[in-house]
Amino acid sequence: MSTLDSTLTAEPATAEAATGSAILDVLRAAAATYGDKPAVVDSTGAGYSYREFLAAIEAGAAWFHGRDPRPPVLFVPGNGPDDVVALYAAITGGSVPLVADKTWTAEECARIAEATGASAVLASVDSALDRTTMPATDSPWPKLWWSELGPTRRNDRLDGIGFGRFTSGTTGMPRCLGFTQQAAVNAANAWRRSAELTERDTVLCLATLNNGLAFNTSLLSVFLSGATLVLHAGRPIPSSIARSIRKVEPTVLTAFPFVFDGLVRGSSDLGRGLRLSVSSAAPLSPETADAWQDLTGLRICDYYGLAEVGPVTFNDSSAPGSVGVPLHGVEIVIEPVAGVDEADGRGRVLVRTASMASRYLDEGEPVFADSLTAEGFLRSKDLGRLDEAGRLWLVGRLGQVVNVAGRKIDPTEVANVIRELPGVTEVVVRGEQSASGELLAAYVESTTVDRAAVVEHCRGRLAVYKLPQRITIAGSLPRNAAGKISSSALSTIGE
């Protein structure tokens, strides 16, 4: 048993449980136990030992204490060791970082800042934000710059909150969720136990730090275990990633499905040190799963998580098609839904964990409590069923969402942006299948705009991953007898 186990007891994820610094307590215990062992490095080996990691975080927390802007702070990280230090420095320094997507445009970040009262931004040089357009200054971390945003409204929802994370924005602008530090410790401990992480592990994470795949599986859970976290320092292409795998020799690999797709097509030798491969955020093709097993001798494992509650299940690959069994401390209930066949027990997935968010930090509607049952279960939008072994099988969603390479996109948000373009009279945005998976398609009704105009208009208003890959423009979109757009006839335009 790890000597850190005394710090790992799950506590309620409440404001009261957030007093003190639960995360700093864990990091101090890890530094005392593992000392000069590498804690977080990039694939070149540059980074921090456990002792250095703690010292850098404490120095960074002092720097945040010296900033004038009140919390929260919009944090737009890259994917290096310094970004991890800055994250925990901001949390333990009381700045309440709101962990954003580095592909968000300046306009999207401005909307988020207005909604949350963020008074400053700490952003990676690799982000879509341009520091030359803002009153930016240097930070203690060479690849992160700092900019104060001027007077903003005071956020009165920060009591007990350590940090914020965002929903995927499948119903419009992403909502900002506030979590206690204890919630993060609870989530990390639940994952550590299921993945059986130990100090002997080296975890190579290829997911972006704001994404749940990294945040839930490859940050605090690694440090709780005394393992080593490695972040890929090269280009995000298969050949560069394969070189990192061969050099680092990880025991655990965490990556989006498209990374595994590329690796199985372009690699013949990835070494034999891996014991666990984890993928999530989008469906993994059976062909890739089979090819990965031929290449490494391992099946790719999966997990299911929700932004609002953290990691929920872990599938050790023993039941392909399911998302596995609940993590330690996680409760799942299936709620019947009108109009949904209940023959095999399917219904809405309800989840309660010790790592749940405390509240939304923005002023949008609905409030977070409206998403919970009287017993404190989150009413997700997923449909699923539980089998006799307690495994969860997802069978659909309530409402529509498009999943492009692991990023969930709300078609309505994209359609509303295109509809603002002068000359556009109607627009339909939806997901469509292609040879490489689901893509975002836009059907635009206009006699004056062209594809270039649509792309240029969207580029300044939406993150690059939200740009439609397939754009069809017609003077008139097909309609039914009631005058509504005929979805089934859209694909026939131009035939």
Side-chain angles (χ1 to χ4, degrees):
M1 178 178 291
S2 167
T3 57
L4 291 185
D5 279 352
S6 61
T7 72
L8 302 181
T9 303
E11 298 289 346
T14 62
E16 290 74 11
T19 56
S21 183
I23 288 176
L24 197 56
D25 289 345
V26 168
L27 296 176
R28 284 172 173 163
T33 304
Y34 302 110
D36 295 329
K37 185 179 188 294
V40 54
V41 298
D42 65 25
S43 50
T44 71
Y48 300 88
S49 69
Y50 272 90
R51 187 175 289 111
E52 293 167 339
F53 188 45
L54 174 64
I57 289 169
E58 292 179 329
W63 181 83
F64 278 108
H65 275 303
R67 302 304 97 195
D68 289 331
R70 61 177 180 266
V73 169
L74 191 63
F75 179 46
V76 191
N79 258 56
D82 278 352
D83 299 283
V84 182
V85 169
L87 169 65
Y88 290 128
I91 293 174
T92 58
S95 289
V96 189
L98 312 180
V99 189
D101 190 323
K102 68 179 181 180
T103 68
W104 285 352
T105 65
E107 182 172 322
E108 288 173 304
C109 287
R111 293 200 299 266
I112 292 292
E114 181 179 1
T116 60
S119 60
V121 59
L122 181 66
S124 169
V125 297
D126 297 326
S127 74
L129 300 180
D130 183 357
R131 68 174 292 172
T132 64
T133 65
M134 307 174 74
T137 60
D138 292 337
S139 79
W141 305 282
K143 292 188 176 182
L144 290 167
W145 51 268
W146 172 263
S147 180
E148 297 178 8
L149 300 179
T152 59
R153 69 171 183 82
R154 180 177 296 277
N155 192 320
D156 296 323
R157 306 182 181 192
L158 301 181
D159 183 40
I161 298 299
F163 62 95
R165 294 190 61 227
F166 291 90
T167 65
S168 57
T170 57
T171 56
M173 187 174 76
R175 300 295 305 276
C176 186
L177 293 153
F179 295 83
T180 66
Q181 291 192 36
Q182 187 63 51
V185 174
N186 292 346
N189 184 40
W191 178 259
R192 177 192 72 95
R193 293 176 64 154
S194 291
E196 298 181 345
L197 294 177
T198 74
E199 60 192 82
R200 294 184 296 277
D201 280 311
T202 297
V203 179
L204 177 59
C205 177
L206 301 172
T208 53
L209 295 183
N210 68 290
N211 187 275
L213 183 58
F215 204 93
N216 291 333
T217 72
S218 303
L219 294 183
L220 198 56
S221 59
V222 170
F223 309 132
L224 282 166
S225 310
T228 297
L229 171 62
V230 182
L231 301 169
H232 178 59
R235 296 173 61 194
I237 58 176
S239 59
S240 177
I241 292 171
R243 284 194 296 272
S244 287
I245 293 173
R246 287 191 288 269
K247 178 179 180 180
V248 172
E249 296 184 335
T251 58
V252 179
L253 177 65
T254 303
F256 294 127
F258 71 85
V259 173
F260 289 103
D261 291 340
L263 288 173
V264 298
R265 288 196 298 266
S267 304
S268 58
D269 178 23
L270 294 177
R272 293 293 171 180
L274 278 174
R275 70 167 185 83
L276 180 64
S277 304
V278 181
S279 175
S280 189
L284 183 77
S285 75
E287 294 78 13
T288 294
D290 291 341
W292 185 258
Q293 184 172 24
D294 292 340
L295 184 62
T296 66
L298 297 173
R299 297 295 295 180
I300 297 175
C301 299
D302 192 8
Y303 96 102
Y304 168 62
L306 297 165
E308 297 87 349
V309 302
V312 177
T313 67
F314 177 64
N315 177 18
D316 63 3
S317 78
S318 62
S322 84
V323 291
V325 298
L327 301 183
H328 177 76
V330 172
E331 300 170 82
I332 297 176
V333 173
I334 303 300
E335 176 185 69
V337 177
V340 174
D341 183 7
E342 301 177 27
D344 58 358
R346 66 180 59 192
R348 183 197 292 264
V349 178
L350 308 185
V351 181
R352 184 168 63 185
T353 75
S355 56
M356 294 179 71
S358 299
R359 65 188 74 94
Y360 287 122
L361 301 184
D362 53 55
E363 294 186 326
E365 295 292 339
V367 297
F368 186 64
D370 291 345
S371 302
L372 305 178
T373 68
E375 296 77 23
F377 284 82
L378 177 81
R379 303 178 77 245
S380 80
K381 293 186 178 180
D382 290 315
L383 294 172
R385 62 180 179 85
L386 292 169
D387 65 17
E388 293 180 353
R391 292 182 292 250
L392 177 64
W393 300 75
L394 298 179
V395 298
R397 277 183 66 83
L398 295 166
Q400 297 298 315
V401 64
V402 180
N403 193 328
V404 178
R407 294 185 180 272
K408 298 176 177 65
I409 303 169
D410 175 23
T412 302
E413 179 191 16
V414 180
N416 287 341
V417 167
I418 297 175
R419 199 172 281 115
E420 295 171 353
L421 182 62
V424 171
T425 54
E426 187 54 277
V427 58
V428 174
V429 178
R430 67 184 187 184
E432 294 183 351
Q433 292 299 315
S434 69
S436 58
E438 194 171 27
L439 56 73
L440 196 67
Y443 294 86
V444 181
E445 187 175 82
S446 177
T447 58
T448 59
V449 306
D450 58 14
R451 186 183 190 282
V454 174
V455 172
E456 183 63 24
H457 176 76
C458 291
R459 197 181 299 278
R461 293 164 175 80
L462 296 167
V464 68
Y465 70 86
K466 297 179 183 178
L467 300 184
Q469 297 104 313
R470 180 180 294 162
I471 299 175
T472 301
I473 299 175
S476 179
L477 296 180
R479 286 172 164 78
N480 59 24
K484 296 182 179 180
I485 301 297
S486 174
S487 180
S488 61
L490 289 174
S491 58
T492 66
I493 295 176
E495 294 182 356

